[in-house]
Amino acid sequence: MSTSEPPINLHTLNLHLQTAENSTTVRCTGRLTIDTSPQLKKEVKPLLVGKRRVVLDLTDLAHMDSSGLGALVALYISARSSGCELQMVNLSPRIRELLSMTNILSLFESCGRYGGRMP
């Protein structure tokens, strides 16, 4: 029996949480689309209230559509109003280009300025 993680279903969005004292990292795998954007908002928005920082790790995010962009903006606004810092890391070139073309990347200053790779 293999102990590796199950294969990623590219038609869904899976969120894996790693919590520390004042921050939470949310590793997103799959697709962030009209079908899965409500799930991201529903699961991440409550985290913004009790943490100083929430990091969205997009290493395994295969696809994002305009609804995914909208979900990121909605979470950004919620984070700002809650006094929480929302960051995105490990953007693929395709996702980075999409965020850059829509000027959303500039909202997440640290990933736009410093390359967006997690140390």
Side-chain angles (χ1 to χ4, degrees):
M1 179 178 261
S2 174
T3 59
S4 64
E5 290 187 37
I8 297 169
N9 181 346
L10 296 180
H11 299 289
T12 62
L13 178 68
N14 296 303
L15 303 174
H16 311 276
L17 303 178
Q18 183 178 14
T19 304
E21 186 177 330
N22 288 317
S23 68
T24 298
T25 299
V26 181
R27 186 171 59 103
C28 304
T29 61
R31 300 169 62 89
L32 185 53
T33 63
I34 193 168
D35 297 322
T36 61
S37 294
Q39 174 191 353
L40 179 72
K41 291 190 289 188
K42 180 182 174 187
E43 292 188 38
V44 173
K45 193 170 182 177
L47 301 173
L48 302 173
V49 176
K51 300 291 181 182
R52 283 194 344 211
R53 182 170 70 133
V54 173
V55 178
L56 299 177
D57 182 353
L58 305 182
T59 301
D60 296 316
L61 191 66
H63 178 78
M64 182 187 310
D65 68 8
S66 60
S67 294
L69 293 170
L72 293 177
V73 171
L75 289 173
Y76 172 80
I77 292 168
S78 294
R80 292 275 309 223
S81 65
S82 297
C84 178
E85 180 182 8
L86 181 65
Q87 297 179 333
M88 290 188 302
V89 296
N90 300 331
L91 308 174
S92 71
R94 176 188 249 170
I95 300 291
R96 178 181 298 285
E97 181 180 6
L98 177 63
L99 295 172
S100 183
M101 286 185 337
T102 57
N103 291 321
I104 293 173
L105 189 61
S106 63
L107 295 176
F108 299 89
E109 290 178 346
S110 62
C111 72
R113 191 178 308 145
Y114 302 115
R117 283 284 168 206
M118 229 174 175

